[in-house]
Amino acid sequence: MAATLSWSSLSKSFHFPRRPARSLSLAPRIACSSSPSPSPSPSSLPLQFNISFAPPKPKPRPGSDSDSRDFDFISGAGQQLFIPWIVRGEDGQLKLQSHPPARLIHSLAHAVTKEKRAKKKDKPKGTASAAAAAAGEPKYPKAARRFYNENFGDPPQRLSKVLAAAGVASRRSSEELIFEGKVTVNGSVCKTPQTRVDPMKDAIYVNGNRLPKRLPPKVYLALNKPKGYICSAGEKESKSVLELFDDYLKILGKRNPGLPKPRLFTVGRLDVATSGLIIVTNDGDFAQKISHPSANLSKEYIAAVDGEVHKRHLIAISQGTVVDGSHCIPDSVELLPRQPENPRPRLRIVVHEGRNHEVRELIKNAGLEIYSLKRVRIGSFRLPADLGLGKHVELKPVDLQALGWKS
């Protein structure tokens, strides 16, 4: 026997009045097959549903719980809560229950999970477009970007400068690569470092590798150099200050996806035993500008010495000494007050030429021995007092102006 029953058929056949405490007996007909049967089977008997409506909810009395539930089972004969869930049980019989079927709950939960997964897949990640979208930058058409680059972009630059800015090598090493014929421009070998090129238009290859069209951003950093680090990256047996920027370069790569990693270098040098302020950048023009003698930037050092410092020592330092064949005279020499935590005498020496080991030679020529030497100022920019050893800080435009740079 095949029996069919649906909620739509029930709603069409019977009308449920909204009067309270009135019991309805539903006996829907069962559609049976036309095969003869001598006696009715249990499945062909009419299904009985005792469905009734609860009476109106009484108003809460003063002092009663106001958060009582809207639906409560009411005790008493013939007073039951109407429940709309009509399901077929494991025995094949239809029945009423107070909660949705388990299959329906599982299907809804699975559908919500699929929707969340689809939203996650739609989100772009790891691309330059995703970073631009996150930053709220407008996306211009390709034709508009090409028009801007052709008419308002950076002018062509020397080939050696472009290679250095792209992080291939230093400018001098880039010139050697060009002279050796390892650089091609638009399919032709170029051996002239002064050739003007535009990475956005010209196809530049170095040792068979294509140079990126977009150059890395300009970076300007101030480092509090610790002792034991050198300022060059060529010697593998010594620790370089550039190793202190590995984590910073990883963060910069995530901040600017799709751009090559900048090649950092120091502006000037501090010897391995000297600590303090040093500028690190990837802008060759900036480095050349502030390190050239014409910039006339003064540099301030604090030197701790062994022994006592007398007036004759200060006079000897102020008279200068010969360094690399040139007579170097400091701008000023001053004996600083003693500090309780540092019993050694401290000297403040200001120079502007910045020759190799100039401050150490001045103190040595006066008959004193240096215990420690630290640079604390370049131009008008002073090393931040709260910047720890081995830490760096990004320079702001006002800091670049203090170094004499006008972009």
Side-chain angles (χ1 to χ4, degrees):
M1 289 292 179
T4 59
L5 179 64
S6 63
W7 175 256
S8 60
S9 62
L10 290 176
S11 61
K12 292 179 181 178
S13 302
F14 302 96
H15 173 68
F16 298 135
R18 296 184 177 276
R19 287 173 295 182
R22 181 173 178 176
S23 192
L24 298 179
S25 178
L26 304 183
R29 295 183 178 274
I30 307 299
C32 304
S33 62
S34 59
S35 58
S37 177
S39 59
S41 63
S43 61
S44 63
L45 295 177
L47 301 178
Q48 298 293 331
F49 293 92
N50 186 14
I51 302 177
S52 62
F53 294 94
K57 182 181 177 181
K59 295 182 180 180
R61 298 178 180 178
S64 61
D65 187 6
S66 60
D67 295 334
S68 59
R69 299 185 179 273
D70 295 334
F71 297 96
D72 293 332
F73 287 101
I74 305 174
S75 60
Q79 295 184 353
Q80 299 178 356
L81 175 66
F82 171 71
I83 302 173
W85 296 104
I86 302 178
V87 298
R88 189 178 298 275
E90 297 179 356
D91 55 355
Q93 300 296 328
L94 296 175
K95 61 179 181 179
L96 296 176
Q97 63 182 31
S98 61
H99 56 81
R103 288 182 301 174
L104 178 61
I105 298 177
H106 295 165
S107 299
L108 292 176
H110 186 62
V112 172
T113 305
K114 279 188 175 180
E115 184 180 355
K116 290 183 178 179
R117 290 178 181 174
K119 288 183 180 179
K120 289 182 179 179
K121 288 182 181 179
D122 294 340
K123 291 182 180 180
K125 53 184 179 180
T127 60
S129 59
E137 299 178 0
K139 185 178 181 180
Y140 299 101
K142 187 176 182 180
R145 296 197 303 268
R146 185 188 300 112
F147 177 80
Y148 177 84
N149 293 330
E150 291 177 355
N151 296 275
F152 304 99
D154 296 332
Q157 300 177 351
R158 291 187 311 239
L159 179 58
S160 59
K161 182 178 179 180
V162 170
L163 296 182
V168 175
S170 63
R171 188 171 299 187
R172 184 175 301 177
S173 300
S174 299
E175 293 178 354
E176 295 177 358
L177 292 174
I178 296 172
F179 289 136
E180 293 173 1
K182 297 181 179 180
V183 181
T184 61
V185 179
N186 298 327
S188 302
V189 178
C190 182
K191 293 187 177 182
T192 308
Q194 293 80 15
T195 302
R196 298 283 176 171
V197 295
D198 185 356
M200 297 297 296
K201 301 178 182 179
D202 301 321
I204 306 172
Y205 285 82
V206 181
N207 291 327
N209 298 321
R210 173 70 183 266
L211 198 71
K213 291 184 177 181
R214 300 175 61 189
L215 298 179
K218 299 295 178 63
V219 177
Y220 307 94
L221 305 169
L223 172 70
N224 189 1
K225 174 188 172 297
K227 291 183 180 179
Y229 286 81
I230 62 175
C231 294
S232 60
E235 302 178 11
K236 295 183 179 181
E237 61 274 5
S238 302
K239 294 185 295 184
S240 173
V241 294
L242 302 181
E243 298 176 5
L244 301 173
F245 296 94
D246 292 341
D247 294 338
Y248 172 77
L249 293 177
K250 292 179 182 178
I251 298 175
L252 189 65
K254 295 180 180 179
R255 192 189 306 171
N256 301 284
L259 295 183
K261 183 175 67 174
R263 190 191 67 85
L264 300 180
F265 54 86
T266 60
V267 181
R269 295 188 178 184
L270 290 177
D271 58 67
V272 67
T274 303
S275 62
L277 175 62
I278 190 166
I279 306 299
V280 180
T281 183
N282 65 334
D283 189 349
D285 294 336
F286 166 75
Q288 185 179 7
K289 171 67 177 179
I290 68 173
S291 61
H292 197 271
S294 61
N296 199 25
L297 290 178
S298 60
K299 304 173 181 65
E300 180 179 337
Y301 294 82
I302 302 297
V305 298
D306 292 327
E308 295 295 330
V309 178
H310 302 285
K311 186 176 180 179
R312 57 184 175 86
H313 295 130
L314 301 178
I315 295 175
I317 295 175
S318 61
Q319 290 177 350
T321 185
V322 177
V323 180
D324 296 335
S326 300
H327 189 74
C328 300
I329 299 177
D331 296 347
S332 63
V333 182
E334 180 185 359
L335 178 63
L336 298 177
R338 292 287 184 95
Q339 292 180 339
E341 65 276 5
N342 188 7
R344 290 183 174 82
R346 295 181 304 131
L347 298 174
R348 176 190 288 122
I349 301 177
V350 180
V351 297
H352 65 275
E353 293 186 14
R355 294 184 178 273
N356 192 23
H357 303 296
E358 179 180 358
V359 177
R360 292 183 178 273
E361 291 295 330
L362 289 171
I363 297 176
K364 180 181 178 181
N365 183 66
L368 297 173
E369 184 177 353
I370 292 182
Y371 175 77
S372 64
L373 183 62
K374 180 178 182 179
R375 183 161 65 186
V376 296
R377 179 176 61 84
I378 299 177
S380 299
F381 179 76
R382 184 173 294 274
L383 182 69
D386 57 347
L387 190 62
L389 284 174
K391 303 299 181 180
H392 66 272
V393 62
E394 293 187 4
L395 296 179
K396 301 177 182 179
V398 64
D399 300 328
L400 299 178
Q401 293 179 3
L403 292 169
W405 173 251
K406 297 180 180 180
S407 56

